[in-house]
Short mmCIF file of all heavy atoms in Angstrom, two decimals:
data_model
loop_
_atom_site.label_atom_id
_atom_site.label_comp_id
_atom_site.label_asym_id
_atom_site.label_seq_id
_atom_site.Cartn_x
_atom_site.Cartn_y
_atom_site.Cartn_z
N MET Q 1 13.65 -12.19 4.69
CA MET Q 1 12.64 -11.42 5.53
C MET Q 1 11.53 -11.02 4.60
O MET Q 1 11.71 -10.54 3.51
CB MET Q 1 13.37 -10.20 6.15
CG MET Q 1 12.52 -9.39 6.93
SD MET Q 1 13.50 -8.11 7.80
CE MET Q 1 12.20 -7.49 8.84
N ALA Q 2 10.30 -11.26 5.10
CA ALA Q 2 9.15 -10.95 4.29
C ALA Q 2 8.94 -9.50 4.26
O ALA Q 2 9.20 -8.71 5.11
CB ALA Q 2 7.92 -11.57 4.96
N GLU Q 3 8.44 -9.01 3.06
CA GLU Q 3 8.22 -7.61 2.85
C GLU Q 3 6.90 -7.20 3.47
O GLU Q 3 5.88 -8.03 3.46
CB GLU Q 3 8.07 -7.37 1.30
CG GLU Q 3 8.64 -6.09 0.92
CD GLU Q 3 8.71 -5.97 -0.64
OE1 GLU Q 3 9.55 -6.62 -1.19
OE2 GLU Q 3 7.80 -5.35 -1.22
N LYS Q 4 6.84 -6.04 4.01
CA LYS Q 4 5.60 -5.60 4.67
C LYS Q 4 4.51 -5.33 3.64
O LYS Q 4 4.76 -4.80 2.55
CB LYS Q 4 5.85 -4.27 5.44
CG LYS Q 4 4.64 -3.64 6.10
CD LYS Q 4 4.98 -2.29 6.55
CE LYS Q 4 3.58 -1.60 6.90
NZ LYS Q 4 3.67 -0.20 6.71
N GLU Q 5 3.34 -5.87 3.92
CA GLU Q 5 2.29 -5.76 2.92
C GLU Q 5 1.83 -4.25 2.92
O GLU Q 5 1.59 -3.67 4.03
CB GLU Q 5 1.05 -6.60 3.29
CG GLU Q 5 -0.07 -6.41 2.26
CD GLU Q 5 -1.27 -7.35 2.66
OE1 GLU Q 5 -1.13 -8.12 3.58
OE2 GLU Q 5 -2.25 -7.19 1.96
N ILE Q 6 1.65 -3.74 1.75
CA ILE Q 6 1.32 -2.32 1.60
C ILE Q 6 -0.23 -2.23 1.60
O ILE Q 6 -0.87 -3.03 1.08
CB ILE Q 6 1.94 -1.75 0.39
CG1 ILE Q 6 1.71 -0.19 0.31
CG2 ILE Q 6 1.36 -2.40 -0.97
CD1 ILE Q 6 2.50 0.53 -0.76
N MET Q 7 -0.71 -1.19 2.29
CA MET Q 7 -2.14 -0.93 2.30
C MET Q 7 -2.60 -0.34 0.97
O MET Q 7 -1.84 0.41 0.37
CB MET Q 7 -2.52 -0.07 3.52
CG MET Q 7 -2.07 -0.61 4.83
SD MET Q 7 -2.85 -2.18 5.26
CE MET Q 7 -4.47 -1.72 5.62
N PHE Q 8 -3.90 -0.38 0.69
CA PHE Q 8 -4.40 0.08 -0.56
C PHE Q 8 -4.16 1.62 -0.66
O PHE Q 8 -3.62 2.16 -1.65
CB PHE Q 8 -5.88 -0.14 -0.73
CG PHE Q 8 -6.52 0.45 -1.97
CD1 PHE Q 8 -6.35 -0.19 -3.18
CD2 PHE Q 8 -7.18 1.58 -1.83
CE1 PHE Q 8 -6.85 0.36 -4.32
CE2 PHE Q 8 -7.78 2.15 -3.05
CZ PHE Q 8 -7.61 1.55 -4.22
N ASN Q 9 -4.51 2.32 0.45
CA ASN Q 9 -4.40 3.80 0.39
C ASN Q 9 -2.95 4.26 0.27
O ASN Q 9 -2.57 5.21 -0.40
CB ASN Q 9 -5.10 4.51 1.60
CG ASN Q 9 -4.38 4.07 2.92
OD1 ASN Q 9 -3.97 2.95 3.08
ND2 ASN Q 9 -4.47 4.98 3.82
N GLU Q 10 -2.01 3.45 0.84
CA GLU Q 10 -0.60 3.80 0.79
C GLU Q 10 -0.07 3.53 -0.67
O GLU Q 10 0.65 4.32 -1.23
CB GLU Q 10 0.29 2.85 1.69
CG GLU Q 10 0.05 3.13 3.14
CD GLU Q 10 0.68 2.04 4.04
OE1 GLU Q 10 0.88 0.95 3.57
OE2 GLU Q 10 1.04 2.44 5.19
N ALA Q 11 -0.57 2.50 -1.30
CA ALA Q 11 -0.21 2.22 -2.65
C ALA Q 11 -0.74 3.31 -3.61
O ALA Q 11 0.02 3.77 -4.47
CB ALA Q 11 -0.73 0.79 -3.11
N MET Q 12 -1.93 3.77 -3.31
CA MET Q 12 -2.53 4.83 -4.17
C MET Q 12 -1.76 6.11 -4.05
O MET Q 12 -1.49 6.80 -5.00
CB MET Q 12 -4.01 5.04 -3.82
CG MET Q 12 -4.92 4.05 -4.41
SD MET Q 12 -4.95 4.00 -6.14
CE MET Q 12 -5.53 5.62 -6.59
N GLU Q 13 -1.31 6.48 -2.76
CA GLU Q 13 -0.59 7.63 -2.53
C GLU Q 13 0.75 7.64 -3.29
O GLU Q 13 1.17 8.60 -3.88
CB GLU Q 13 -0.40 7.84 -1.06
CG GLU Q 13 -1.70 8.32 -0.32
CD GLU Q 13 -1.47 8.43 1.20
OE1 GLU Q 13 -0.39 8.22 1.67
OE2 GLU Q 13 -2.55 8.59 1.85
N GLN Q 14 1.44 6.47 -3.20
CA GLN Q 14 2.68 6.32 -3.79
C GLN Q 14 2.51 6.40 -5.34
O GLN Q 14 3.33 7.08 -6.06
CB GLN Q 14 3.38 5.02 -3.44
CG GLN Q 14 3.90 5.04 -1.97
CD GLN Q 14 4.57 3.64 -1.65
OE1 GLN Q 14 4.97 2.92 -2.47
NE2 GLN Q 14 4.54 3.41 -0.38
N LEU Q 15 1.49 5.76 -5.82
CA LEU Q 15 1.26 5.78 -7.25
C LEU Q 15 0.93 7.19 -7.73
O LEU Q 15 1.41 7.72 -8.84
CB LEU Q 15 0.07 4.92 -7.60
CG LEU Q 15 -0.29 4.62 -9.05
CD1 LEU Q 15 0.90 4.10 -9.85
CD2 LEU Q 15 -1.45 3.66 -9.18
N GLU Q 16 0.18 7.98 -6.99
CA GLU Q 16 -0.11 9.36 -7.29
C GLU Q 16 1.10 10.21 -7.36
O GLU Q 16 1.26 11.08 -8.18
CB GLU Q 16 -1.22 9.98 -6.37
CG GLU Q 16 -2.58 9.38 -6.59
CD GLU Q 16 -3.51 9.73 -5.51
OE1 GLU Q 16 -3.12 10.49 -4.49
OE2 GLU Q 16 -4.65 9.43 -5.56
N GLU Q 17 1.99 9.97 -6.39
CA GLU Q 17 3.29 10.69 -6.38
C GLU Q 17 4.20 10.34 -7.56
O GLU Q 17 4.78 11.27 -8.16
CB GLU Q 17 4.00 10.45 -5.08
CG GLU Q 17 5.37 11.03 -4.98
CD GLU Q 17 5.39 12.49 -4.99
OE1 GLU Q 17 4.38 13.11 -4.73
OE2 GLU Q 17 6.44 13.07 -5.38
N ILE Q 18 4.20 9.14 -7.94
CA ILE Q 18 4.92 8.69 -9.14
C ILE Q 18 4.41 9.35 -10.33
O ILE Q 18 5.12 9.92 -11.20
CB ILE Q 18 4.91 7.18 -9.29
CG1 ILE Q 18 5.80 6.57 -8.20
CG2 ILE Q 18 5.41 6.72 -10.66
CD1 ILE Q 18 5.82 5.07 -8.10
N VAL Q 19 3.10 9.39 -10.56
CA VAL Q 19 2.44 10.05 -11.70
C VAL Q 19 2.79 11.50 -11.69
O VAL Q 19 3.09 12.11 -12.76
CB VAL Q 19 0.92 9.79 -11.69
CG1 VAL Q 19 0.20 10.67 -12.72
CG2 VAL Q 19 0.60 8.29 -11.95
N ARG Q 20 2.76 12.16 -10.53
CA ARG Q 20 3.09 13.57 -10.45
C ARG Q 20 4.43 13.78 -10.91
O ARG Q 20 4.72 14.76 -11.70
CB ARG Q 20 2.81 14.06 -9.03
CG ARG Q 20 2.99 15.61 -8.92
CD ARG Q 20 3.07 15.99 -7.42
NE ARG Q 20 4.19 15.43 -6.70
CZ ARG Q 20 5.40 15.87 -6.87
NH1 ARG Q 20 5.70 16.82 -7.70
NH2 ARG Q 20 6.41 15.30 -6.14
N GLN Q 21 5.40 12.97 -10.44
CA GLN Q 21 6.82 13.16 -10.77
C GLN Q 21 6.98 12.98 -12.32
O GLN Q 21 7.67 13.72 -13.02
CB GLN Q 21 7.68 12.21 -10.03
CG GLN Q 21 7.83 12.47 -8.58
CD GLN Q 21 8.71 11.45 -7.90
OE1 GLN Q 21 9.43 10.72 -8.51
NE2 GLN Q 21 8.53 11.38 -6.55
N LEU Q 22 6.37 11.94 -12.87
CA LEU Q 22 6.52 11.65 -14.29
C LEU Q 22 5.79 12.75 -15.17
O LEU Q 22 6.36 13.09 -16.26
CB LEU Q 22 5.90 10.28 -14.66
CG LEU Q 22 6.72 9.06 -14.09
CD1 LEU Q 22 6.01 7.76 -14.40
CD2 LEU Q 22 8.23 9.06 -14.66
N GLU Q 23 4.73 13.23 -14.71
CA GLU Q 23 4.04 14.36 -15.49
C GLU Q 23 4.83 15.65 -15.50
O GLU Q 23 4.71 16.43 -16.44
CB GLU Q 23 2.68 14.56 -14.88
CG GLU Q 23 1.66 13.54 -15.19
CD GLU Q 23 0.28 13.76 -14.63
OE1 GLU Q 23 0.19 14.62 -13.69
OE2 GLU Q 23 -0.63 13.12 -15.11
N GLN Q 24 5.69 15.85 -14.59
CA GLN Q 24 6.51 17.04 -14.55
C GLN Q 24 7.49 17.01 -15.67
O GLN Q 24 7.94 18.14 -16.21
CB GLN Q 24 7.30 17.24 -13.19
CG GLN Q 24 6.37 17.60 -12.09
CD GLN Q 24 7.08 17.75 -10.77
OE1 GLN Q 24 8.24 17.35 -10.64
NE2 GLN Q 24 6.43 18.35 -9.79
N GLY Q 25 7.93 15.78 -16.13
CA GLY Q 25 8.77 15.73 -17.32
C GLY Q 25 10.19 16.04 -17.16
O GLY Q 25 10.92 15.98 -18.13
N ASP Q 26 10.62 16.29 -15.94
CA ASP Q 26 12.10 16.63 -15.76
C ASP Q 26 12.83 15.53 -15.02
O ASP Q 26 13.93 15.74 -14.47
CB ASP Q 26 12.20 17.94 -15.06
CG ASP Q 26 11.52 18.00 -13.68
OD1 ASP Q 26 10.84 17.06 -13.32
OD2 ASP Q 26 11.70 18.99 -12.90
N VAL Q 27 12.27 14.34 -15.11
CA VAL Q 27 12.95 13.17 -14.45
C VAL Q 27 13.89 12.57 -15.50
O VAL Q 27 13.49 12.27 -16.58
CB VAL Q 27 11.87 12.20 -13.98
CG1 VAL Q 27 12.53 10.99 -13.39
CG2 VAL Q 27 10.91 12.81 -13.02
N PRO Q 28 15.10 12.25 -15.10
CA PRO Q 28 16.05 11.60 -16.02
C PRO Q 28 15.51 10.29 -16.47
O PRO Q 28 14.71 9.63 -15.74
CB PRO Q 28 17.29 11.42 -15.14
CG PRO Q 28 17.15 12.42 -14.00
CD PRO Q 28 15.79 12.56 -13.82
N LEU Q 29 15.85 9.88 -17.67
CA LEU Q 29 15.30 8.63 -18.27
C LEU Q 29 15.44 7.40 -17.37
O LEU Q 29 14.45 6.68 -17.19
CB LEU Q 29 16.00 8.35 -19.60
CG LEU Q 29 15.59 7.16 -20.35
CD1 LEU Q 29 14.12 7.20 -20.69
CD2 LEU Q 29 16.41 6.88 -21.60
N GLU Q 30 16.57 7.20 -16.76
CA GLU Q 30 16.77 6.02 -16.00
C GLU Q 30 15.84 6.06 -14.74
O GLU Q 30 15.26 5.01 -14.40
CB GLU Q 30 18.24 5.94 -15.46
CG GLU Q 30 19.23 5.71 -16.62
CD GLU Q 30 19.57 6.97 -17.46
OE1 GLU Q 30 19.20 8.07 -16.93
OE2 GLU Q 30 20.19 6.85 -18.45
N GLN Q 31 15.67 7.19 -14.16
CA GLN Q 31 14.78 7.36 -13.01
C GLN Q 31 13.36 7.20 -13.45
O GLN Q 31 12.54 6.59 -12.73
CB GLN Q 31 15.06 8.63 -12.34
CG GLN Q 31 14.24 8.80 -11.00
CD GLN Q 31 14.42 10.11 -10.28
OE1 GLN Q 31 15.30 10.92 -10.70
NE2 GLN Q 31 13.71 10.34 -9.23
N ALA Q 32 12.99 7.70 -14.60
CA ALA Q 32 11.68 7.59 -15.11
C ALA Q 32 11.29 6.13 -15.38
O ALA Q 32 10.16 5.74 -14.99
CB ALA Q 32 11.54 8.40 -16.40
N LEU Q 33 12.23 5.38 -15.83
CA LEU Q 33 11.94 3.96 -16.15
C LEU Q 33 11.75 3.21 -14.76
O LEU Q 33 10.86 2.40 -14.62
CB LEU Q 33 13.08 3.30 -16.84
CG LEU Q 33 13.19 3.75 -18.36
CD1 LEU Q 33 14.47 3.19 -18.94
CD2 LEU Q 33 11.94 3.31 -19.10
N THR Q 34 12.56 3.54 -13.79
CA THR Q 34 12.43 2.96 -12.47
C THR Q 34 11.07 3.31 -11.79
O THR Q 34 10.39 2.50 -11.20
CB THR Q 34 13.60 3.38 -11.53
OG1 THR Q 34 14.85 2.95 -12.08
CG2 THR Q 34 13.47 2.78 -10.16
N LEU Q 35 10.72 4.64 -11.90
CA LEU Q 35 9.46 5.06 -11.42
C LEU Q 35 8.33 4.40 -12.16
O LEU Q 35 7.29 4.01 -11.55
CB LEU Q 35 9.33 6.61 -11.61
CG LEU Q 35 10.14 7.39 -10.60
CD1 LEU Q 35 10.15 8.88 -10.98
CD2 LEU Q 35 9.72 7.25 -9.17
N TYR Q 36 8.44 4.26 -13.45
CA TYR Q 36 7.34 3.67 -14.24
C TYR Q 36 7.13 2.15 -13.71
O TYR Q 36 6.05 1.72 -13.61
CB TYR Q 36 7.69 3.68 -15.77
CG TYR Q 36 6.67 3.10 -16.60
CD1 TYR Q 36 5.51 3.81 -16.94
CD2 TYR Q 36 6.76 1.77 -17.06
CE1 TYR Q 36 4.53 3.26 -17.71
CE2 TYR Q 36 5.73 1.25 -17.85
CZ TYR Q 36 4.66 1.92 -18.18
OH TYR Q 36 3.63 1.38 -18.90
N GLN Q 37 8.28 1.44 -13.58
CA GLN Q 37 8.20 0.09 -13.18
C GLN Q 37 7.54 0.01 -11.78
O GLN Q 37 6.63 -0.85 -11.55
CB GLN Q 37 9.56 -0.57 -13.10
CG GLN Q 37 9.58 -2.01 -12.67
CD GLN Q 37 10.90 -2.68 -12.69
OE1 GLN Q 37 11.92 -2.02 -12.96
NE2 GLN Q 37 10.91 -3.97 -12.49
N LYS Q 38 7.96 0.87 -10.82
CA LYS Q 38 7.32 0.85 -9.55
C LYS Q 38 5.85 1.20 -9.58
O LYS Q 38 5.04 0.59 -8.99
CB LYS Q 38 8.06 1.87 -8.64
CG LYS Q 38 7.51 2.10 -7.23
CD LYS Q 38 7.80 0.78 -6.41
CE LYS Q 38 7.25 1.00 -4.96
NZ LYS Q 38 7.35 -0.30 -4.20
N GLY Q 39 5.50 2.18 -10.46
CA GLY Q 39 4.16 2.49 -10.72
C GLY Q 39 3.30 1.35 -11.16
O GLY Q 39 2.12 1.15 -10.74
N MET Q 40 3.91 0.55 -12.13
CA MET Q 40 3.12 -0.57 -12.67
C MET Q 40 2.95 -1.65 -11.47
O MET Q 40 1.88 -2.26 -11.41
CB MET Q 40 3.88 -1.21 -13.77
CG MET Q 40 3.97 -0.36 -15.00
SD MET Q 40 2.27 0.05 -15.68
CE MET Q 40 1.74 -1.58 -16.24
N GLU Q 41 3.93 -1.83 -10.62
CA GLU Q 41 3.78 -2.77 -9.47
C GLU Q 41 2.69 -2.22 -8.55
O GLU Q 41 1.88 -3.04 -8.09
CB GLU Q 41 5.18 -2.88 -8.77
CG GLU Q 41 6.20 -3.54 -9.59
CD GLU Q 41 7.60 -3.38 -9.01
OE1 GLU Q 41 7.69 -2.89 -7.83
OE2 GLU Q 41 8.53 -3.92 -9.64
N LEU Q 42 2.66 -0.93 -8.26
CA LEU Q 42 1.73 -0.38 -7.42
C LEU Q 42 0.25 -0.47 -7.97
O LEU Q 42 -0.68 -0.74 -7.31
CB LEU Q 42 2.06 1.12 -7.09
CG LEU Q 42 3.21 1.23 -6.13
CD1 LEU Q 42 3.65 2.72 -6.17
CD2 LEU Q 42 2.95 0.77 -4.78
N SER Q 43 0.24 -0.27 -9.29
CA SER Q 43 -1.06 -0.43 -9.92
C SER Q 43 -1.60 -1.87 -9.89
O SER Q 43 -2.80 -2.04 -9.64
CB SER Q 43 -0.82 0.02 -11.46
OG SER Q 43 -2.09 -0.24 -12.17
N LYS Q 44 -0.75 -2.86 -10.02
CA LYS Q 44 -1.19 -4.20 -9.89
C LYS Q 44 -1.63 -4.52 -8.46
O LYS Q 44 -2.62 -5.17 -8.22
CB LYS Q 44 -0.08 -5.23 -10.22
CG LYS Q 44 -0.41 -6.64 -10.20
CD LYS Q 44 0.65 -7.56 -10.59
CE LYS Q 44 0.25 -9.02 -10.58
NZ LYS Q 44 -0.72 -9.42 -9.79
N VAL Q 45 -0.92 -3.94 -7.47
CA VAL Q 45 -1.30 -4.15 -6.02
C VAL Q 45 -2.67 -3.57 -5.86
O VAL Q 45 -3.56 -4.22 -5.21
CB VAL Q 45 -0.25 -3.48 -5.02
CG1 VAL Q 45 -0.88 -3.32 -3.66
CG2 VAL Q 45 1.04 -4.17 -5.10
N CYS Q 46 -2.94 -2.38 -6.34
CA CYS Q 46 -4.31 -1.76 -6.16
C CYS Q 46 -5.37 -2.52 -6.85
O CYS Q 46 -6.40 -2.76 -6.29
CB CYS Q 46 -4.24 -0.27 -6.72
SG CYS Q 46 -3.21 0.84 -5.70
N HIS Q 47 -5.06 -2.96 -8.13
CA HIS Q 47 -6.01 -3.72 -8.85
C HIS Q 47 -6.37 -5.03 -8.11
O HIS Q 47 -7.53 -5.40 -7.94
CB HIS Q 47 -5.44 -3.99 -10.23
CG HIS Q 47 -6.39 -4.82 -11.08
ND1 HIS Q 47 -6.30 -6.14 -11.24
CD2 HIS Q 47 -7.42 -4.39 -11.87
CE1 HIS Q 47 -7.23 -6.64 -12.07
NE2 HIS Q 47 -7.96 -5.56 -12.47
N ASP Q 48 -5.40 -5.71 -7.64
CA ASP Q 48 -5.60 -6.97 -6.89
C ASP Q 48 -6.37 -6.72 -5.66
O ASP Q 48 -7.34 -7.55 -5.38
CB ASP Q 48 -4.26 -7.68 -6.57
CG ASP Q 48 -3.55 -8.21 -7.80
OD1 ASP Q 48 -4.17 -8.26 -8.93
OD2 ASP Q 48 -2.32 -8.55 -7.69
N LYS Q 49 -6.15 -5.67 -4.92
CA LYS Q 49 -6.78 -5.42 -3.65
C LYS Q 49 -8.29 -5.06 -3.94
O LYS Q 49 -9.20 -5.51 -3.23
CB LYS Q 49 -6.10 -4.30 -2.89
CG LYS Q 49 -4.79 -4.77 -2.21
CD LYS Q 49 -4.20 -3.73 -1.33
CE LYS Q 49 -2.94 -4.24 -0.75
NZ LYS Q 49 -3.17 -5.20 0.31
N LEU Q 50 -8.50 -4.35 -4.96
CA LEU Q 50 -9.92 -4.03 -5.40
C LEU Q 50 -10.63 -5.26 -5.83
O LEU Q 50 -11.81 -5.47 -5.39
CB LEU Q 50 -9.93 -3.00 -6.52
CG LEU Q 50 -9.54 -1.60 -6.13
CD1 LEU Q 50 -9.44 -0.72 -7.33
CD2 LEU Q 50 -10.60 -0.99 -5.17
N GLN Q 51 -10.02 -6.16 -6.54
CA GLN Q 51 -10.72 -7.43 -6.94
C GLN Q 51 -11.02 -8.25 -5.65
O GLN Q 51 -12.07 -8.87 -5.61
CB GLN Q 51 -9.79 -8.17 -7.93
CG GLN Q 51 -9.89 -7.69 -9.32
CD GLN Q 51 -9.28 -8.71 -10.31
OE1 GLN Q 51 -8.33 -9.40 -10.00
NE2 GLN Q 51 -9.91 -8.79 -11.46
N ASN Q 52 -10.05 -8.37 -4.84
CA ASN Q 52 -10.33 -9.06 -3.58
C ASN Q 52 -11.43 -8.48 -2.78
O ASN Q 52 -12.29 -9.21 -2.18
CB ASN Q 52 -9.09 -9.17 -2.73
CG ASN Q 52 -8.05 -10.12 -3.30
OD1 ASN Q 52 -8.39 -11.07 -3.97
ND2 ASN Q 52 -6.80 -9.88 -2.96
N ALA Q 53 -11.52 -7.17 -2.72
CA ALA Q 53 -12.55 -6.51 -2.01
C ALA Q 53 -13.94 -6.78 -2.67
O ALA Q 53 -14.89 -7.07 -1.95
CB ALA Q 53 -12.36 -5.00 -1.92
N GLU Q 54 -13.99 -6.72 -3.97
CA GLU Q 54 -15.16 -7.05 -4.73
C GLU Q 54 -15.63 -8.46 -4.43
O GLU Q 54 -16.80 -8.70 -4.20
CB GLU Q 54 -14.95 -6.84 -6.20
CG GLU Q 54 -16.23 -7.13 -6.97
CD GLU Q 54 -16.00 -6.87 -8.49
OE1 GLU Q 54 -14.86 -6.67 -8.95
OE2 GLU Q 54 -16.99 -6.99 -9.20
N LYS Q 55 -14.71 -9.44 -4.43
CA LYS Q 55 -15.10 -10.84 -4.15
C LYS Q 55 -15.64 -10.98 -2.76
O LYS Q 55 -16.59 -11.73 -2.50
CB LYS Q 55 -13.88 -11.72 -4.35
CG LYS Q 55 -13.45 -11.94 -5.79
CD LYS Q 55 -12.14 -12.77 -5.88
CE LYS Q 55 -11.64 -12.92 -7.33
NZ LYS Q 55 -10.46 -13.50 -7.42
N GLN Q 56 -15.02 -10.36 -1.82
CA GLN Q 56 -15.55 -10.39 -0.41
C GLN Q 56 -16.95 -9.76 -0.32
O GLN Q 56 -17.75 -10.36 0.38
CB GLN Q 56 -14.63 -9.64 0.50
CG GLN Q 56 -13.26 -10.28 0.79
CD GLN Q 56 -12.31 -9.52 1.66
OE1 GLN Q 56 -12.63 -8.44 2.01
NE2 GLN Q 56 -11.21 -10.12 2.03
N LEU Q 57 -17.13 -8.67 -0.99
CA LEU Q 57 -18.57 -8.09 -0.96
C LEU Q 57 -19.53 -9.03 -1.54
O LEU Q 57 -20.60 -9.13 -1.04
CB LEU Q 57 -18.47 -6.72 -1.65
CG LEU Q 57 -17.87 -5.61 -0.91
CD1 LEU Q 57 -17.76 -4.34 -1.86
CD2 LEU Q 57 -18.71 -5.21 0.31
N VAL Q 58 -19.18 -9.59 -2.67
CA VAL Q 58 -20.15 -10.55 -3.32
C VAL Q 58 -20.43 -11.73 -2.38
O VAL Q 58 -21.56 -12.06 -2.26
CB VAL Q 58 -19.58 -10.99 -4.68
CG1 VAL Q 58 -20.42 -12.19 -5.23
CG2 VAL Q 58 -19.52 -9.83 -5.68
N THR Q 59 -19.39 -12.29 -1.79
CA THR Q 59 -19.56 -13.33 -0.81
C THR Q 59 -20.37 -12.96 0.33
O THR Q 59 -21.36 -13.66 0.71
CB THR Q 59 -18.14 -13.84 -0.28
OG1 THR Q 59 -17.38 -14.29 -1.38
CG2 THR Q 59 -18.33 -14.97 0.65
N MET Q 60 -20.14 -11.77 0.88
CA MET Q 60 -20.98 -11.33 2.04
C MET Q 60 -22.45 -11.10 1.59
O MET Q 60 -23.37 -11.51 2.32
CB MET Q 60 -20.43 -9.98 2.55
CG MET Q 60 -19.19 -10.19 3.34
SD MET Q 60 -18.61 -8.66 4.16
CE MET Q 60 -17.98 -7.77 2.85
N MET Q 61 -22.62 -10.54 0.37
CA MET Q 61 -24.01 -10.38 -0.08
C MET Q 61 -24.68 -11.65 -0.30
O MET Q 61 -25.87 -11.79 -0.06
CB MET Q 61 -23.98 -9.46 -1.34
CG MET Q 61 -23.54 -8.02 -1.05
SD MET Q 61 -23.34 -7.07 -2.57
CE MET Q 61 -25.11 -6.69 -2.77
N ASN Q 62 -24.05 -12.61 -0.86
CA ASN Q 62 -24.59 -13.92 -1.24
C ASN Q 62 -24.90 -14.65 0.14
O ASN Q 62 -25.89 -15.41 0.24
CB ASN Q 62 -23.76 -14.79 -2.06
CG ASN Q 62 -23.75 -14.23 -3.48
OD1 ASN Q 62 -24.60 -13.51 -3.91
ND2 ASN Q 62 -22.69 -14.58 -4.30
N ASP Q 63 -24.05 -14.49 1.14
CA ASP Q 63 -24.32 -15.14 2.51
C ASP Q 63 -25.53 -14.55 3.09
O ASP Q 63 -26.26 -15.21 3.82
CB ASP Q 63 -23.12 -14.91 3.40
CG ASP Q 63 -21.94 -15.77 3.02
OD1 ASP Q 63 -22.09 -16.73 2.19
OD2 ASP Q 63 -20.78 -15.52 3.53
N GLY Q 64 -25.78 -13.34 2.85
CA GLY Q 64 -26.99 -12.58 3.37
C GLY Q 64 -28.19 -12.81 2.46
O GLY Q 64 -29.16 -12.16 2.64
N LYS Q 65 -28.00 -13.58 1.40
CA LYS Q 65 -29.04 -13.92 0.43
C LYS Q 65 -29.46 -12.73 -0.43
O LYS Q 65 -30.45 -12.66 -1.05
CB LYS Q 65 -30.34 -14.49 1.09
CG LYS Q 65 -30.03 -15.75 1.95
CD LYS Q 65 -29.52 -16.85 1.15
CE LYS Q 65 -29.34 -18.06 2.03
NZ LYS Q 65 -28.21 -18.89 1.74
N GLU Q 66 -28.65 -11.67 -0.36
CA GLU Q 66 -28.91 -10.57 -1.28
C GLU Q 66 -28.07 -10.78 -2.55
O GLU Q 66 -26.91 -11.14 -2.45
CB GLU Q 66 -28.47 -9.22 -0.67
CG GLU Q 66 -29.32 -8.80 0.51
CD GLU Q 66 -28.85 -7.50 1.10
OE1 GLU Q 66 -28.37 -6.66 0.34
OE2 GLU Q 66 -29.00 -7.34 2.31
N VAL Q 67 -28.63 -10.51 -3.65
CA VAL Q 67 -27.90 -10.71 -4.91
C VAL Q 67 -27.74 -9.25 -5.53
O VAL Q 67 -28.72 -8.51 -5.66
CB VAL Q 67 -28.73 -11.55 -5.90
CG1 VAL Q 67 -28.04 -11.74 -7.24
CG2 VAL Q 67 -28.98 -12.94 -5.25
N PRO Q 68 -26.50 -8.99 -5.83
CA PRO Q 68 -26.28 -7.61 -6.45
C PRO Q 68 -27.00 -7.44 -7.67
O PRO Q 68 -27.10 -8.38 -8.51
CB PRO Q 68 -24.76 -7.59 -6.59
CG PRO Q 68 -24.28 -9.00 -6.67
CD PRO Q 68 -25.31 -9.75 -5.86
N ALA Q 69 -27.56 -6.23 -7.90
CA ALA Q 69 -28.31 -5.90 -9.09
C ALA Q 69 -27.31 -5.84 -10.27
O ALA Q 69 -26.25 -5.32 -10.17
CB ALA Q 69 -29.04 -4.61 -8.91
N ASN Q 70 -27.75 -6.42 -11.32
CA ASN Q 70 -26.92 -6.34 -12.58
C ASN Q 70 -27.64 -5.29 -13.47
O ASN Q 70 -28.71 -5.54 -14.05
CB ASN Q 70 -26.92 -7.70 -13.27
CG ASN Q 70 -25.96 -7.66 -14.46
OD1 ASN Q 70 -25.71 -6.56 -15.02
ND2 ASN Q 70 -25.58 -8.83 -14.83
N ILE Q 71 -27.06 -4.18 -13.52
CA ILE Q 71 -27.68 -2.98 -14.20
C ILE Q 71 -27.96 -3.28 -15.64
O ILE Q 71 -29.08 -2.95 -16.15
CB ILE Q 71 -26.81 -1.73 -14.07
CG1 ILE Q 71 -26.70 -1.34 -12.57
CG2 ILE Q 71 -27.31 -0.62 -14.96
CD1 ILE Q 71 -25.72 -0.22 -12.34
N GLU Q 72 -27.02 -4.05 -16.37
CA GLU Q 72 -27.22 -4.28 -17.70
C GLU Q 72 -28.34 -5.25 -18.04
O GLU Q 72 -28.96 -5.13 -19.11
CB GLU Q 72 -25.87 -4.82 -18.33
CG GLU Q 72 -24.79 -3.84 -18.29
CD GLU Q 72 -23.49 -4.42 -18.87
OE1 GLU Q 72 -23.55 -5.58 -19.31
OE2 GLU Q 72 -22.49 -3.74 -18.70
N THR Q 73 -28.62 -6.19 -17.12
CA THR Q 73 -29.60 -7.19 -17.41
C THR Q 73 -30.91 -6.96 -16.70
O THR Q 73 -31.97 -7.58 -17.01
CB THR Q 73 -29.14 -8.61 -17.06
OG1 THR Q 73 -28.83 -8.66 -15.77
CG2 THR Q 73 -27.95 -9.00 -17.94
N ASP Q 74 -30.99 -6.10 -15.68
CA ASP Q 74 -32.20 -5.91 -14.93
C ASP Q 74 -33.09 -4.89 -15.58
O ASP Q 74 -34.28 -4.72 -15.25
CB ASP Q 74 -31.87 -5.32 -13.52
CG ASP Q 74 -31.36 -6.47 -12.65
OD1 ASP Q 74 -31.43 -7.65 -13.01
OD2 ASP Q 74 -30.76 -6.08 -11.58
N GLY Q 75 -32.65 -4.24 -16.64
CA GLY Q 75 -33.55 -3.34 -17.40
C GLY Q 75 -33.62 -1.96 -16.68
O GLY Q 75 -33.10 -1.74 -15.66
N PRO Q 76 -34.33 -1.12 -17.33
CA PRO Q 76 -34.42 0.31 -16.79
C PRO Q 76 -35.35 0.35 -15.54
O PRO Q 76 -36.25 -0.44 -15.44
CB PRO Q 76 -35.06 0.99 -17.98
CG PRO Q 76 -35.81 0.00 -18.75
CD PRO Q 76 -35.08 -1.31 -18.58
N ALA Q 77 -35.04 1.29 -14.67
CA ALA Q 77 -35.82 1.52 -13.51
C ALA Q 77 -37.14 2.13 -13.91
O ALA Q 77 -37.21 2.98 -14.87
CB ALA Q 77 -35.09 2.44 -12.51
N ILE Q 78 -38.17 1.77 -13.20
CA ILE Q 78 -39.52 2.35 -13.56
C ILE Q 78 -39.89 3.41 -12.52
O ILE Q 78 -39.72 3.26 -11.39
CB ILE Q 78 -40.62 1.22 -13.55
CG1 ILE Q 78 -40.32 0.22 -14.59
CG2 ILE Q 78 -42.01 1.81 -13.77
CD1 ILE Q 78 -41.18 -0.98 -14.62
#
């Protein structure tokens, strides 16, 4: 059975909860390791979703013939 795809905001909420639990410092080692692993998985999900969103935005902008400004190479604003 396929796993339900998690939404970005759901992943962020779960990741924030894991961080909160780990920061409290009273989590047993075994549970902390499990939480850390789950946090790393959620972090990858969030990272991948952000990269996909960025690619979609660039594609949409290029389809509309707009080219995103490159702050580093466009020089200072006048």
